[in-house]
């Protein structure tokens, strides 16, 4: 099976390439700009035509959540129009598309984990652009799986876990938000789930009942403060950087974009339909911190 992945430099794409290399008979081809620019329809069509994938994973996104508040046009061009371009190309090629979305499509007011049937209501430009992208994917391609994920981190790129370790090497104490709840997601765990789903949908016809929206994130829940403390506990055991963590409120750490107070996502539908469940978020932290601290 050949998997075409957009957004070659992103965390999810990097992890898909790494995971795919370990699977016999699987060819993961990650392509980014300039060869594949999702904001340019002709570029997407040309890449799909040349590579002839069995499944397309759209992992390309504008993820600068705060900057999006002042760059709504660019965020929408990538996250909405770009997503639609990829889905149309997949539909024309007759292959399924797996599109990566976000917890930010919700307003965070629910007190328990969000299911796929809950009402959306993004409170940021980024969230609105991603929700528009979901809708364009649904319109453009019958054979689509939209995976909403949350709090993604990995050994690659810029993310919360890497930032915490870097700051801990500079300061003895850090203030971290303790009133936002979510399900941290280790990108290699997400990549494994995507590969599993891709293998299943590559065999499904247009009439398959599996098409639609799913939530895919680490099992369990915590706050940003709880995540930071877990990172430092693991790092300290390995002889890596660690710091004391002081819980603070969202109001103590103002940002340009509002964040959902509750980003918890239920993975029940994904488990029921595909038999796929991501490991506990602590397992991901342990694996990620070990790689970062030991440098492998």
């Amino acid at each position: 099976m050949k998997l075409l992945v957009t957004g070659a430099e992103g965390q999810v794409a990097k992890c898909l390439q790494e995971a795919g290399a370990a699977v016999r008979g699987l060819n993961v081809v990650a392509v980014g700009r300039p060869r594949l620019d999702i904001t340019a329809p002709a570029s997407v069509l040309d890449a799909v035509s040349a590579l002839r994938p069995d499944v397309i994973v759209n992992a390309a996104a504008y993820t600068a959540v705060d900057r999006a508040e002042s760059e709504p046009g660019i965020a929408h061009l990538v996250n909405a129009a770009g997503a639609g371009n990829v889905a149309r190309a997949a539909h024309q090629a007759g292959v399924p598309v797996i599109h990566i979305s976000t917890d930010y499509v919700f307003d965070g007011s629910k007190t328990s984990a969000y299911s796929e049937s809950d009402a959306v209501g993004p409170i940021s430009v980024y969230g609105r652009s991603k929700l528009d992208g979901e809708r364009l994917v649904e319109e453009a391609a019958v054979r689509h799986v939209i995976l909403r994920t949350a709090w993604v981190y990995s050994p690659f790129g810029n993310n919360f876990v890497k930032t915490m370790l870097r700051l801990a090497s500079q300061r003895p104490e850090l203030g971290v938000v303790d009133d936002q709840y979510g399900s941290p997601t280790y990108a290699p765990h997400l990549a494994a789930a995507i590969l599993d789903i891709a293998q299943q949908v590559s065999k499904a016809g247009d009439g398959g009942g599996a098409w639609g929206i799913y939530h895919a994130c680490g099992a369990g829940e915590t706050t940003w403060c709880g995540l930071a403390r877990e990172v430092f506990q693991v790092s300290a055991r390995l002889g890596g950087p660690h710091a004391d963590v002081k819980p603070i409120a969202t109001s103590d750490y103002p940002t340009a974009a509002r964040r959902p107070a509750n980003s918890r996502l239920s993975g029940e539908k994904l488990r029921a339909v595909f038999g796929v469940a991501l490991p506990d978020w602590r397992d991901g932290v342990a694996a990620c911190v070990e790689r970062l601290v030991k440098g492998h």
Side-chain angles (χ1 to χ4, degrees):
M1 183 177 71
K2 181 186 284 186
L3 208 66
L4 169 59
V5 182
T6 67
E9 297 305 311
Q11 295 186 78
V12 174
K14 294 270 191 192
C15 293
L16 280 167
Q17 293 175 79
E18 188 174 76
V23 180
R24 179 184 291 180
L26 178 62
N27 181 16
V28 176
V29 183
V31 187
R33 294 177 298 180
R35 185 181 178 192
L36 196 167
D37 179 350
I38 68 169
T39 68
S43 167
V44 182
L45 289 169
D46 288 348
V48 172
S49 176
L51 293 167
R52 302 184 60 174
D54 297 294
V55 180
I56 300 173
V57 177
N58 183 32
Y62 177 106
T63 57
V65 175
D66 289 316
R67 197 166 73 230
E69 295 296 312
S70 59
E71 295 182 346
I74 299 173
H76 192 276
L77 181 64
V78 177
N79 292 340
N85 292 336
V86 174
R88 273 188 295 277
H91 181 71
Q92 288 186 31
V95 300
V97 60
I98 300 173
H99 175 68
I100 311 302
S101 191
T102 175
D103 55 302
Y104 280 57
V105 299
F106 297 111
D107 66 10
S109 62
K110 190 179 179 182
T111 56
S112 58
Y114 280 96
S115 70
E116 293 80 355
S117 59
D118 283 324
V120 291
I123 55 176
S124 65
V125 168
Y126 169 75
R128 287 192 291 274
S129 71
K130 292 295 289 184
L131 179 59
D132 288 344
E134 288 186 5
R135 289 169 173 165
L136 288 171
V137 169
E138 289 175 317
E139 291 172 9
V142 173
R143 300 172 72 191
H144 69 266
V145 171
I146 295 169
L147 293 178
R148 293 177 181 149
T149 191
W151 295 22
V152 177
Y153 64 93
S154 73
F156 309 110
N158 298 313
N159 57 70
F160 180 84
V161 171
K162 291 179 75 175
T163 297
M164 289 297 104
L165 291 173
R166 175 175 56 80
L167 291 176
S169 67
Q170 303 166 0
R171 308 179 204 167
E173 183 182 85
L174 299 171
V176 183
V177 170
D178 199 33
D179 56 1
Q180 294 175 22
Y181 292 83
S183 306
T185 305
Y186 186 40
H189 289 166
L190 178 61
I194 292 169
L195 292 181
D196 192 337
I197 294 163
Q199 288 174 322
Q200 293 186 51
V201 300
S202 68
K203 305 176 182 70
D206 287 351
W211 310 118
I213 297 174
Y214 296 84
H215 293 169
C217 54
E221 62 185 61
T222 189
T223 64
W224 291 112
C225 179
L227 176 54
R229 284 175 170 158
E230 185 72 17
V231 166
F232 295 146
Q233 284 179 13
V234 175
S235 183
R237 287 199 300 269
L238 297 169
H242 55 280
D244 291 330
V245 181
K246 180 182 73 172
I248 64 173
T250 297
S251 56
D252 295 327
Y253 187 72
T255 55
R258 291 173 60 200
R259 265 71 170 173
N262 174 30
S263 284
R264 291 170 286 190
L265 303 177
S266 169
E268 286 304 312
K269 181 182 175 186
L270 188 71
R271 185 182 295 109
V273 176
F274 288 107
V276 171
L278 275 68
D280 187 271
W281 68 271
R282 295 176 191 85
D283 296 345
V285 170
C288 187
V289 173
E290 181 174 6
R291 281 187 64 169
L292 292 169
V293 170
K294 293 189 174 180
H296 63 263

